[in-house]
């Protein structure tokens, strides 16, 4: 049984001193000031003096080790003892070999597969509590935001598709009903089980009603719109003329 120690760094490998100082200030405010989180790198120490972590590289595994608390790429912040593992050194070495194959460097992703995700997985294998939530909170928040946005867009697209499909089905249904009613009212041979000629008047009325629905559902053409505008203008002119005539009579 041995201790599992989490080593935490401020991420200050941007290559710009100004940017690095800004990150340190952000971490101080959001983590030290209000306890929310920050931009951190993490690594685990178990059996020996080295720490293990994960990072980006173009080829080969992204799993690497260095002396504990002395990663030259970042600024050391603190360490946290997570607990003790019952795993033997042989078992730990076997875990690290497997993770080295499963975590190639080119699959690194800042939001979904970073050093903190690696440490969480290794903690789970070692049987100790996972790293504190504040260590990777910024990445988790960003990943959740992307997922919500993606799901919302997908739901909107699906709803639009379903609406269009339902409209097409309804239109085809009404078209078929209108066609059947019209054929039945034009004196076509009556089949067994259909209504007799005394109901033709009802058929014609229903046919006209369904046609009215279909005509309302169809988009108006530019010619139809022009005729409607002319009719509206004539109605307004007639109304004004009648109003003037009324005024003359009253005078």
């Amino acid at each position: 049984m041995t201790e599992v120690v989490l080593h935490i760094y401020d991420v200050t490998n941007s290559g710009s001193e100004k940017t690095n100082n800004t990150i340190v200030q952000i971490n101080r405010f959001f983590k030290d000031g209000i306890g929310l989180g920050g931009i951190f790198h993490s690594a685990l120490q178990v059996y020996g003096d080295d720490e293990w972590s994960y990072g980006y590289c173009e080829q080969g595994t992204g799993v690497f080790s260095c002396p504990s608390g002395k990663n030259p790429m970042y600024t050391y912040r603190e360490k946290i003892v997570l607990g003790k593992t019952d795993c033997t050194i042989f078992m730990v070495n076997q875990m690290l070999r497997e993770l080295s194959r499963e975590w190639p460097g080119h699959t690194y992703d800042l939001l979904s597969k970073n050093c903190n995700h690696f440490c969480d997985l290794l903690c789970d294998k070692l049987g100790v509590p996972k790293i504190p939530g504040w260590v990777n909170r910024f990445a988790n928040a960003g990943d959740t935001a992307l997922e919500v946005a993606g799901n919302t867009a997908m739901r909107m697209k699906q709803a639009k598709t379903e609406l269009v499909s339902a409209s097409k089905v309804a239109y085809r249904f009404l078209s078929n009903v209108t066609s059947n009613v019209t054929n039945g009212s034009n004196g076509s041979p009556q089949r067994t089980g259909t209504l007799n000629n005394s109901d033709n008047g009802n058929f014609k009325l229903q046919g006209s009603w369904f046609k009215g629905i279909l005509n309302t559902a169809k988009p108006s053409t530019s010619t139809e719109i022009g005729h409607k505008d002319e009719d509206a203008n004539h109605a307004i002119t007639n109304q004004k003329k009648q109003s003037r005539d009324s005024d003359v009579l009253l005078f």
Side-chain angles (χ1 to χ4, degrees), residues 85-111:
T85 180
D86 292 328
C87 298
T88 64
I89 188 171
F90 173 81
M91 295 170 64
V92 172
N93 287 336
Q94 181 65 26
M95 292 176 192
L96 292 171
R97 281 194 292 269
E98 292 175 356
L99 291 172
S100 295
R101 292 192 296 268
E102 297 170 358
W103 288 65
H106 70 272
T107 62
Y108 177 93
D109 184 90
L110 182 62
L111 297 181

Side-chain angles (χ1 to χ4, degrees), residues 174 178 203-214:
L174 292 175
T178 302
F203 273 116
K204 292 179 180 179
L205 178 61
Q206 293 173 4
S208 300
W209 180 72
F210 278 119
K211 285 183 178 180
I213 293 178
L214 291 177

Side-chain angles (χ1 to χ4, degrees), residues 10-23 73-74:
D10 292 316
V11 176
T12 53
N13 62 335
S14 68
S16 167
E17 183 177 355
K18 183 177 180 180
T19 301
N20 291 341
N21 290 335
T22 300
I23 292 174
M73 295 179 61
Y74 310 107

